[in-house]
Amino acid sequence: MTRGSKISFKGKVVQGVHDMFHVWKKEMRKVFHDQGVLIFFLLVPLAYPLLYSFIYNNEVVREVPAIVVDDSDSGLSRRFIRMVDATADIAIVARCTDMDEAKRMLRDGKAYGIYYFPSDFTDKLSHMEQSQVSIFCDMSGLLYYKAMLLSATEVSLKLNERIKIARAGNFTAEQDEVTAMPIEYESVALFNPQNGFASFLIPAVLVLIIQQTLLLGVGLSVGTDRERNRFNDLVPISRHYNGTLRIVFGKALAYLMVYAVVSIYVLCVVPWMFSLPQVGQPASFLAFMLPLVLACIFFAMTLSVFVRNRETCMLIFVFTSVPLLFLSGISWPACAIPDFWRWFSYIFPSTFGIRGYVAINSTGATLDEVSADYVALWVQAGIYFVLACVAYRWQIIRSRRHAIGDYKRIRNMAG
């Protein structure tokens, strides 16, 4: 290689780096000067996690309104009602004379469930027969059903213990314990001690917010570029936008710098503010966050090629948030998702990001224990980087063709 070729190669590298930082500077200026991009990149990640966390901050449903229909009207049924009402989950708001009245109150939204005691509730127990309590619950809200069922189950177990001890005729407290519970059990809630809805759902939502805001912000930025371009091209006619890698790296660097801060806030600060489970190692979390953010960035850059104007990204990406939450395997078990949709979910970084982040942050998994999701995110980052380069290369070719065609028309008109 001659000295001239070495200098030429070095000059191209220097020019490429200079152009990359020019693209980075232009993209950073758009992030902080375009109100729409600023909303999606900063305001939405700032406000949405707080909004969702405040909504679910109570973690569990308490004091669910319930109605009692007590045809037995016995001491035991009244004790059962008092014990249910004393639980944290249920509040007895009315006692109805019959089921018709109770059903009307249920339809009017004055309660979410009915406890029904048959007239022979105590008589069956007196004759050594099994008795029952019926629960009628509004299944439009599964948390109401959970509260009513668990409260009735706990109370029935307590009363069963007392009935068995009273009939056993034991002489010591130790005999009473064995009679009440021959096999002792202990329930331990791992990784979610409150059995709370926020601790279960919010971590998945936080990862999805990062992906969706990147899709919307990058799409809005690209739509703006197309609207301002004479030929509706993505890449402007400029010597700084004359190479694929410098464009892709410049844009990605700008997004990475913004979302390095945004991701720390969304995935670390928000769970800390609302006392959500955080038992993961910081090193594992930071190592996992890098491919997650890169995969989301290059995924957003690849899909943004299909955005034709500022409004298009809203039509394409907004509606996908809820389906992607289900496809992640958090709100609905992955093993119960049909094979087609499970494979389809692997297209999106949020699928692996949610699973890995929840495992690290909420259950204390190490990077080795989430290696499958970690490697999958790096693979996605590589694939979407290549696709973004191909897409932008095609856009550069289109811009050159339009520029050459425009030049020829002007020359013909001048001739």
Side-chain angles (χ1 to χ4, degrees):
M1 184 180 292
T2 63
R3 178 176 177 83
S5 62
K6 289 182 179 179
I7 295 174
S8 177
F9 175 75
K10 182 179 179 180
K12 289 180 180 179
V13 172
V14 172
Q15 183 62 39
V17 173
H18 179 266
D19 291 343
M20 183 190 73
F21 279 103
H22 176 82
V23 174
W24 165 80
K25 183 173 66 175
K26 295 278 287 185
E27 206 64 30
M28 290 293 288
R29 184 179 294 116
K30 280 192 291 185
V31 169
F32 292 101
H33 286 80
D34 189 317
Q35 292 184 354
V37 178
L38 188 64
I39 288 174
F40 286 125
F41 274 7
L42 295 180
L43 183 59
V44 172
L46 177 68
Y48 263 41
L50 298 179
L51 175 63
Y52 281 109
S53 299
F54 274 121
I55 290 174
Y56 299 115
N57 192 38
N58 291 331
E59 290 277 12
V60 294
V61 176
R62 299 294 191 190
E63 298 294 323
V64 175
I67 305 168
V68 171
V69 178
D70 186 7
D71 287 343
S72 174
D73 195 23
S74 60
L76 188 59
S77 64
R78 288 192 291 271
R79 179 186 295 180
F80 195 107
I81 295 169
R82 287 195 300 269
M83 292 177 68
V84 169
D85 194 24
T87 63
D89 295 338
I90 298 297
I92 303 298
V93 296
R95 290 172 170 80
C96 299
T97 57
D98 54 40
M99 285 297 295
D100 291 335
E101 181 185 359
K103 289 177 181 178
R104 284 195 298 270
M105 293 186 66
L106 201 65
R107 286 195 298 268
D108 294 339
K110 297 179 180 179
Y112 294 101
I114 304 169
Y115 291 105
Y116 174 69
F117 295 84
S119 58
D120 57 355
F121 174 71
T122 304
D123 294 337
K124 282 189 174 182
L125 293 174
S126 301
H127 292 87
M128 302 296 290
E129 297 179 12
Q130 189 179 53
S131 188
Q132 65 180 19
V133 178
S134 299
I135 302 175
F136 300 86
C137 188
D138 181 359
M139 291 300 292
S140 62
L142 292 178
L143 292 180
Y144 301 142
Y145 168 74
K146 174 188 173 184
M148 294 199 64
L149 180 62
L150 289 181
S151 297
T153 301
E154 291 175 2
V155 171
S156 65
L157 290 174
K158 290 289 185 183
L159 289 180
N160 284 339
E161 292 177 6
R162 296 180 183 180
I163 293 172
K164 287 189 290 184
I165 291 173
R167 291 177 176 176
N170 297 321
F171 296 100
T172 63
E174 289 77 8
Q175 290 177 327
D176 289 342
E177 291 181 4
V178 174
T179 300
M181 189 178 296
I183 299 177
E184 186 177 3
Y185 71 92
E186 182 180 4
S187 176
V188 180
L190 296 175
F191 312 124
N192 188 359
Q194 300 93 346
N195 288 319
F197 198 71
S199 299
F200 149 73
L201 184 65
I202 292 301
V205 173
L206 296 179
V207 175
L208 198 58
I209 286 174
I210 291 177
Q211 176 183 284
Q212 297 302 92
T213 52
L214 263 168
L215 281 172
L216 292 168
V218 174
L220 194 67
S221 176
V222 168
T224 304
D225 291 340
R226 287 187 181 275
E227 289 181 353
R228 294 176 178 176
N229 191 286
R230 178 180 175 184
F231 299 104
N232 200 29
D233 288 332
L234 174 58
V235 178
I237 305 300
S238 170
R239 65 183 180 87
H240 297 293
Y241 288 79
N242 201 28
T244 304
L245 291 179
R246 64 193 70 181
I247 296 175
V248 174
F249 279 136
K251 287 176 174 286
L253 180 61
Y255 305 145
L256 180 62
M257 291 181 65
V258 174
Y259 267 79
V261 178
V262 170
S263 298
I264 293 294
Y265 165 77
V266 172
L267 301 179
C268 291
V269 177
V270 172
W272 172 78
M273 290 172 59
F274 291 91
S275 301
L276 299 178
Q278 283 184 296
V279 295
Q281 300 175 0
S284 297
F285 166 75
L286 293 175
F288 186 84
M289 189 178 69
L290 178 59
L292 170 62
V293 175
L294 287 176
C296 290
I297 288 173
F298 292 127
F299 177 65
M301 292 178 65
T302 301
L303 292 189
S304 67
V305 176
F306 301 100
V307 175
R308 311 302 299 179
N309 50 58
R310 287 174 67 89
E311 293 78 17
T312 305
C313 62
M314 302 292 291
L315 300 175
I316 296 177
F317 303 135
V318 169
F319 80 96
T320 61
S321 299
V322 174
L324 290 179
L325 184 62
F326 283 102
L327 290 175
S328 67
I330 295 296
S331 61
W332 183 257
C335 60
I337 298 176
D339 291 339
F340 170 79
W341 291 109
R342 188 169 66 252
W343 285 99
F344 178 75
S345 69
Y346 296 159
I347 297 174
F348 306 95
S350 58
T351 300
F352 302 106
I354 288 173
R355 293 194 316 210
Y357 171 69
V358 170
I360 292 174
N361 185 72
S362 302
T363 69
T366 63
L367 205 59
D368 290 337
E369 292 170 327
V370 295
S371 58
D373 298 315
Y374 182 67
V375 172
L377 285 172
W378 276 117
V379 171
Q380 283 186 329
I383 291 174
Y384 288 124
F385 168 72
V386 173
L387 291 177
C389 289
V390 171
Y392 273 87
R393 184 60 188 172
W394 171 245
Q395 293 297 321
I396 292 173
I397 295 173
R398 286 190 59 189
S399 297
R400 289 176 178 176
R401 288 176 180 174
H402 290 152
I404 292 172
D406 196 36
Y407 171 75
K408 289 181 178 178
R409 283 192 298 270
I410 294 174
R411 188 179 62 181
N412 292 335
M413 290 175 61

